[in-house]
Amino acid sequence: MSVIKNYILPHPPIMIPQIGKGDEVNVESTIKAISNITDEIAQIKPDTIVIISDKAPYYSDYIHMFSKGKKTGDLSEFGAKEIEFTAEYDIKLQKNIDRLAKEFDFPAGLEKADYQKIDYATIIMLYCLVQKYVDFNIVNVGLSNLSLEDHYTFGKIIKKASDELDRKVVCIASCDTSRDVAFSDEFLDIIKENPNDIFKDELKDTFSEFDVVKALAVLNGTFGDYNGEKNYSIKSNIYNFENPFEVGYLVAGFEADKKGSADVIKKDISKYDSEDECIKLARNAVETFLQTKDIVVAEEIINTDSDLFKEKAAVFVSIYNNDNIRGCIGSFSPIQKSIAHEIVANAINAATRDVRFMPITAKEIKNLSFVIDVIHKEQKVNLLDELDQNKYGVIIVSKDGKKGIILPNQANIDSVQMQLSILKQQVCLPENAKFGEDYELSKFEIQRHGAL
């Protein structure tokens, strides 16, 4: 036994009567198509259904599976708390996938933090499935910012793990398609012709930003390679496609004529392989906290031999969404026991406690970038001529003890006078306040990690 058939199914909550309250007629053809799929699955009688959800925990550099034996979720966020499921996970298959990923040094498995509840896209799949078939366990998988090739390889790991346990498996990608009509049209054409065409050089760079394409890459991988290449015997069937609310709802099925192999497991080269330790810590801290409220253990993210655990320093963490600042938090002096722990604390605070911005949400994760500034060589300023807005950050202390700080080399700050003007505003001093009489200054250098 192995992976028998795969599907892409949408998850519009409105198709559930308790939520739609009559409006489900707007997605009637989607509902009928999904009903036909669940009939097929009931006939296949799989032992396990792998649900790949675009609403499950999303980590940039890691494909995560829910790790508990049982987990509960409901649709209370859509006003239907009564629709609740407790999922039974296929622990043996999960552990086998995790073991194989570790064996091949592949970034996937059970190591990251879970949501407290099952995500709503998975709950909606369970709602549809149990109308027709109940004798199954699940494996619940998220997506990542890794390449399409890596998502394909993860599919091969699912296949290999299923083969070893003699599991009969069906995989479902619970994903909406896109609001991008041009993409949806091209994506449908590819599915009709050959699903593995998503890997063509002229397509994969732009297509890889869409979660449904990443999910399809996983599905394709579960059919394995054939004669050392991707399995081009995959047949597809589009049961339905509609976009009544400017979101594409695709119902499609996939199966392979030829039995593929999952013997070759190789990780694609990724930007995360050589990621700066400071950025890696900040990113993992924010991604984990936004999704689970868990605080990562720094020693589990980077090597404990790192100098980041041996030194103390003040740290500022700046977070950007598509180059727009979303938060920046730091301190005048070190608070935590090491630079590593300073980064974790300030990254979470920058994401959630910078009062100038709304807190960052989990939906923003895939677009976030980080800049870490570690403060070094703080020294008292005796003359204003010692300052340089590009080289030095500045700390101001007013006569009544108020403090302010500005980092060096900031966009749109092109003079020392501009630095001083901003600092005076921070401590409520007038523009004509005098250095040495009304306030004192110290300057510092930074070690910057990441790019503005």
Side-chain angles (χ1 to χ4, degrees):
M1 296 293 181
S2 187
V3 176
I4 306 301
K5 193 166 183 179
N6 294 332
Y7 301 93
I8 294 175
L9 302 181
H11 46 66
I14 197 174
M15 69 182 180
I16 295 175
Q18 293 93 322
I19 298 171
K21 297 179 179 178
D23 287 339
E24 61 269 25
V25 295
N26 292 307
V27 290
E28 188 173 359
S29 61
T30 293
I31 294 170
K32 289 179 179 178
I34 292 176
S35 179
N36 290 335
I37 297 296
T38 53
D39 283 336
E40 284 186 15
I41 292 172
Q43 292 175 2
I44 294 170
K45 294 182 170 57
D47 305 311
T48 301
I49 298 178
V50 176
I51 300 177
I52 304 154
S53 169
D54 62 2
K55 298 296 183 289
Y58 189 107
Y59 293 96
S60 293
D61 63 346
Y62 192 87
I63 301 173
H64 180 64
M65 295 183 292
F66 277 115
S67 57
K68 305 298 183 185
K70 289 184 179 181
K71 193 175 285 288
T72 299
D74 59 45
L75 295 179
S76 56
E77 62 185 294
F78 301 103
K81 187 177 181 180
E82 69 275 15
I83 299 178
E84 180 182 67
F85 288 92
T86 298
E88 296 276 354
Y89 289 92
D90 187 336
I91 299 298
K92 285 186 177 180
L93 182 53
Q94 282 182 326
K95 288 184 176 179
N96 209 32
I97 292 170
D98 185 69
R99 177 189 64 79
L100 286 169
K102 287 183 170 68
E103 181 180 321
F104 290 100
D105 195 27
F106 188 84
L110 301 167
E111 292 184 353
K112 298 286 189 177
D114 285 346
Y115 287 165
Q116 292 182 345
K117 292 183 176 182
I118 305 171
D119 65 278
Y120 82 81
T122 300
I123 289 292
I124 290 172
M125 290 303 98
L126 293 173
Y127 173 88
C128 296
L129 287 163
V130 299
Q131 312 295 320
K132 307 287 181 66
Y133 184 64
V134 296
D135 193 18
F136 64 93
N137 293 328
I138 72 168
V139 170
N140 205 178
V141 178
L143 297 166
S144 78
N145 264 354
L146 295 172
S147 68
L148 291 185
E149 292 289 349
D150 277 340
H151 285 84
Y152 178 86
T153 297
F154 183 67
K156 291 202 292 184
I157 291 174
I158 292 173
K159 171 179 169 52
K160 190 174 182 68
S162 303
D163 289 347
E164 290 179 354
L165 295 176
D166 197 30
R167 286 286 195 276
K168 184 191 286 188
V169 174
V170 163
C171 299
I172 295 174
S174 179
C175 300
D176 294 334
T177 305
S178 175
R179 294 182 183 274
D180 186 326
V181 175
F183 161 76
S184 294
D185 290 344
E186 192 168 9
F187 185 59
L188 290 175
D189 288 341
I190 286 172
I191 287 177
K192 291 172 185 175
E193 293 298 320
N194 195 302
N196 271 322
D197 282 349
I198 58 173
F199 296 100
K200 286 185 174 180
D201 289 340
E202 64 268 27
L203 295 174
K204 64 181 180 182
D205 286 343
T206 53
F207 268 35
S208 61
E209 67 182 84
F210 296 98
D211 286 341
V212 68
V213 180
K214 297 174 186 177
L216 178 59
V218 177
L219 298 183
N220 292 351
T222 65
F223 293 126
D225 297 330
Y226 186 74
N227 287 338
E229 302 289 341
K230 290 182 172 64
N231 194 338
Y232 276 85
S233 74
I234 298 174
K235 288 186 174 180
S236 59
N237 181 16
I238 294 178
Y239 295 75
N240 189 70
F241 178 79
E242 60 181 344
N243 55 349
F245 309 109
E246 298 184 354
V247 178
Y249 297 146
L250 170 65
V251 180
F254 308 87
E255 52 191 331
D257 282 347
K258 298 174 182 177
K259 187 175 181 180
S261 166
D263 292 336
V264 179
I265 306 294
K266 184 179 179 182
K267 184 185 178 303
D268 197 16
I269 296 174
S270 162
K271 64 181 180 180
Y272 302 108
D273 295 338
S274 56
E275 188 173 36
D276 180 283
E277 286 182 321
C278 294
I279 303 299
K280 185 172 185 177
L281 269 176
R283 183 177 51 73
N284 275 272
V286 169
E287 290 182 0
T288 300
F289 188 82
L290 291 182
Q291 297 185 99
T292 70
K293 303 304 180 190
D294 289 349
I295 297 175
V296 298
V297 178
E299 291 82 355
E300 294 178 358
I301 304 299
I302 62 173
N303 194 309
T304 53
D305 291 333
S306 170
D307 288 342
L308 297 180
F309 292 110
K310 300 173 184 176
E311 301 174 14
K312 295 180 71 171
V315 170
F316 274 76
V317 177
S318 303
I319 306 177
Y320 297 82
N321 182 333
N322 288 328
D323 298 328
N324 297 309
I325 183 71
R326 288 289 284 112
C328 177
I329 291 285
S331 58
F332 297 99
S333 57
I335 298 171
Q336 307 297 328
K337 64 182 180 180
S338 73
I339 293 174
H341 296 92
E342 204 82 37
I343 291 170
V344 169
N346 287 345
I348 293 171
N349 288 336
T352 60
R353 295 186 178 182
D354 189 333
V355 296
R356 299 170 298 171
F357 306 96
M358 292 295 291
I360 296 172
T361 67
K363 292 179 180 179
E364 298 177 72
I365 282 174
K366 65 180 69 175
N367 297 319
L368 297 181
S369 59
F370 300 82
V371 175
I372 315 298
D373 290 318
V374 181
I375 293 177
H376 293 292
K377 301 178 181 178
E378 183 182 344
Q379 51 190 301
K380 181 178 173 61
V381 173
N382 296 308
L383 298 169
L384 293 181
D385 289 344
E386 298 173 22
L387 299 178
D388 180 330
Q389 76 276 6
N390 294 319
K391 182 176 181 181
Y392 297 114
V394 185
I395 295 173
I396 187 171
V397 182
S398 66
K399 193 173 181 180
D400 60 0
K402 293 177 182 176
K403 279 188 170 185
I405 190 170
I406 191 166
L407 297 171
N409 196 24
Q410 295 290 298
N412 302 319
I413 297 179
D414 56 10
S415 69
V416 169
Q417 287 306 315
M418 192 175 291
Q419 276 189 320
L420 294 178
S421 180
I422 292 169
L423 287 167
K424 290 173 187 177
Q425 292 175 33
Q426 290 179 7
V427 296
C428 302
L429 286 175
E431 190 64 34
N432 62 358
K434 294 183 178 180
F435 170 59
E437 294 181 17
D438 301 312
Y439 63 91
E440 299 292 336
L441 298 173
S442 59
K443 65 181 181 179
F444 59 86
E445 296 181 43
I446 61 167
Q447 184 179 15
R448 177 158 287 169
H449 302 260
L452 290 174

